[in-house]
Amino acid sequence: MKTYNPQPVDTSGIELSPALLELTERIAANVHEVWSAGRIANGWQYGATRDDARKLHPCLVPYDELSESEKEYDRNTAMETLKVIQTLGFEVKRKI
């Protein structure tokens, strides 16, 4: 078996602006919506306990109803995405 050694882009030097920190929460909620839509499209339904065989998952609820630990997972994904965009030399700007 081949050993996998993850090597994410180093984003430790990036500090997000207050505006991008606000955007993080919106992206996190959308990440959850995209994940949920994919699960539902594949036949998954809400279940109080995860059951892969029956395709039941307790996180198939609106983002606002997730536990803080589940929200934190999505927030981290959003935050790291914004940081890697900046690390790679791109900018995120709001159109007004």
Side-chain angles (χ1 to χ4, degrees), residues 23-85:
L23 180 59
T24 297
E25 191 68 15
R26 299 276 312 268
I27 293 172
N30 194 65
V31 165
H32 177 68
E33 293 298 310
V34 170
W35 174 85
S36 295
R39 286 288 174 135
I40 291 168
N42 285 314
W44 286 73
Q45 298 179 36
Y46 171 80
T49 305
R50 182 174 175 158
D51 184 332
D52 290 355
R54 295 175 53 208
K55 292 188 172 184
L56 300 175
H57 204 293
C59 292
L60 284 173
V61 296
Y63 180 77
D64 291 343
E65 295 178 24
L66 290 174
S67 68
E68 277 304 308
S69 65
E70 290 295 334
K71 287 180 183 178
E72 195 59 36
Y73 182 85
D74 292 330
R75 287 179 188 129
N76 186 57
T77 299
M79 192 173 301
E80 284 301 312
T81 299
L82 289 169
K83 286 182 175 183
V84 79
I85 288 168

